Amino acid sequence: MLFRSRRIDRALAKRARYRYVQPTVQRGDEGGWVVHSPCCSRNVDPSGGVIPIAWLEPHDGGWTLHAHDHGQGRWVVHLVSRQLPELLDELCADPLRVFWP
Protein backbone atom coordinates (compact mmCIF):
# COMPACT_ATOMS: atom_id res chain seq x y z
CA MET A 1 0.00 0.00 0.00
CA LEU A 2 2.76 2.43 0.86
CA PHE A 3 4.30 1.78 -2.56
CA ARG A 4 1.16 3.02 -4.32
CA SER A 5 0.98 6.13 -2.16
CA ARG A 6 4.59 6.99 -3.01
CA ARG A 7 3.94 6.28 -6.67
CA ILE A 8 1.05 8.76 -6.61
CA ASP A 9 3.22 11.33 -4.77
CA ARG A 10 5.96 11.02 -7.41
CA ALA A 11 3.45 11.45 -10.24
CA LEU A 12 1.90 14.53 -8.60
CA ALA A 13 5.32 16.17 -8.39
CA LYS A 14 5.37 16.20 -12.22
CA ARG A 15 1.90 17.69 -12.72
CA ALA A 16 1.19 20.63 -15.02
CA ARG A 17 -1.07 22.77 -12.82
CA TYR A 18 -0.32 24.52 -9.53
CA ARG A 19 3.16 23.11 -9.19
CA TYR A 20 3.85 25.50 -6.30
CA VAL A 21 1.36 23.82 -3.94
CA GLN A 22 1.91 20.59 -2.03
CA PRO A 23 -0.93 18.13 -2.50
CA THR A 24 -1.23 15.30 -0.01
CA VAL A 25 -2.27 11.69 -0.54
CA GLN A 26 -4.24 9.88 2.16
CA ARG A 27 -6.07 6.59 2.40
CA GLY A 28 -9.72 7.12 1.55
CA ASP A 29 -12.53 6.19 3.92
CA GLU A 30 -13.92 3.87 1.24
CA GLY A 31 -10.53 2.54 0.15
CA GLY A 32 -8.07 3.80 -2.38
CA TRP A 33 -6.28 7.12 -2.11
CA VAL A 34 -7.64 10.65 -1.90
CA VAL A 35 -5.61 13.61 -3.13
CA HIS A 36 -6.10 16.91 -1.26
CA SER A 37 -4.67 20.23 -2.40
CA PRO A 38 -4.77 23.88 -1.34
CA CYS A 39 -7.34 25.77 -3.41
CA CYS A 40 -5.00 28.26 -5.08
CA SER A 41 -7.54 29.66 -7.53
CA ARG A 42 -9.95 30.23 -4.63
CA ASN A 43 -12.77 29.18 -6.99
CA VAL A 44 -13.93 26.50 -4.54
CA ASP A 45 -12.66 27.81 -1.20
CA PRO A 46 -12.26 31.60 -1.08
CA SER A 47 -9.89 31.28 1.88
CA GLY A 48 -7.54 29.00 -0.08
CA GLY A 49 -8.09 26.04 2.23
CA VAL A 50 -7.28 22.42 1.46
CA ILE A 51 -9.89 20.63 -0.68
CA PRO A 52 -10.29 17.05 -1.94
CA ILE A 53 -9.58 16.95 -5.67
CA ALA A 54 -9.23 13.29 -6.71
CA TRP A 55 -9.93 9.79 -5.49
CA LEU A 56 -8.05 6.85 -6.98
CA GLU A 57 -10.04 3.70 -6.30
CA PRO A 58 -8.61 0.23 -7.00
CA HIS A 59 -10.93 -2.59 -8.03
CA ASP A 60 -10.65 -6.05 -9.56
CA GLY A 61 -10.46 -4.79 -13.14
CA GLY A 62 -8.02 -1.93 -12.47
CA TRP A 63 -8.60 1.59 -11.22
CA THR A 64 -11.19 4.36 -11.21
CA LEU A 65 -10.27 8.04 -11.07
CA HIS A 66 -12.96 10.18 -9.45
CA ALA A 67 -13.12 13.98 -9.51
CA HIS A 68 -14.71 15.83 -6.61
CA ASP A 69 -17.82 17.81 -7.55
CA HIS A 70 -17.50 20.59 -4.99
CA GLY A 71 -20.90 22.09 -5.77
CA GLN A 72 -22.68 18.80 -5.08
CA GLY A 73 -20.23 17.58 -2.43
CA ARG A 74 -19.77 14.18 -4.08
CA TRP A 75 -17.33 12.12 -6.12
CA VAL A 76 -17.91 11.72 -9.87
CA VAL A 77 -16.30 9.02 -12.00
CA HIS A 78 -13.88 10.67 -14.40
CA LEU A 79 -11.92 7.77 -15.94
CA VAL A 80 -11.62 4.00 -15.56
CA SER A 81 -8.50 2.11 -16.60
CA ARG A 82 -6.72 -1.17 -16.03
CA GLN A 83 -3.51 0.80 -15.47
CA LEU A 84 -2.79 3.30 -12.68
CA PRO A 85 -0.26 5.30 -14.80
CA GLU A 86 -2.98 6.25 -17.29
CA LEU A 87 -5.08 7.74 -14.50
CA LEU A 88 -2.10 9.52 -12.97
CA ASP A 89 -1.27 11.06 -16.37
CA GLU A 90 -4.83 12.38 -16.66
CA LEU A 91 -4.79 13.73 -13.10
CA CYS A 92 -1.44 15.46 -13.56
CA ALA A 93 -2.17 16.96 -17.00
CA ASP A 94 -5.70 18.10 -16.07
CA PRO A 95 -6.26 19.91 -19.39
CA LEU A 96 -9.89 20.77 -18.55
CA ARG A 97 -9.14 21.92 -14.98
CA VAL A 98 -11.34 19.21 -13.52
CA PHE A 99 -9.09 18.44 -10.57
CA TRP A 100 -7.39 21.77 -9.95
CA PRO A 101 -10.34 24.14 -10.59
Side-chain angles (χ1 to χ4, degrees), residues 60-77:
D60 290 338
W63 292 83
T64 301
L65 173 61
H66 303 262
H68 197 268
D69 179 336
H70 299 284
Q72 297 293 319
R74 62 185 179 94
W75 292 105
V76 178
V77 173

Side-chain angles (χ1 to χ4, degrees), residues 21-94:
V21 299
Q22 299 291 28
T24 59
V25 179
Q26 301 171 342
R27 290 288 293 160
D29 292 338
E30 299 178 33
W33 289 266
V34 176
V35 180
H36 293 86
S37 180
C39 183
C40 298
S41 67
R42 301 182 189 262
N43 290 334
V44 175
D45 183 345
S47 68
V50 176
I51 60 172
I53 61 167
W55 172 29
L56 295 152
E57 177 188 26
H59 49 80
D60 290 338
W63 292 83
T64 301
L65 173 61
H66 303 262
H68 197 268
D69 179 336
H70 299 284
Q72 297 293 319
R74 62 185 179 94
W75 292 105
V76 178
V77 173
H78 181 75
L79 184 64
V80 177
S81 176
R82 296 185 59 82
Q83 303 295 321
L84 179 59
E86 180 181 356
L87 301 183
L88 292 175
D89 288 348
E90 177 70 13
L91 172 60
C92 291
D94 194 22

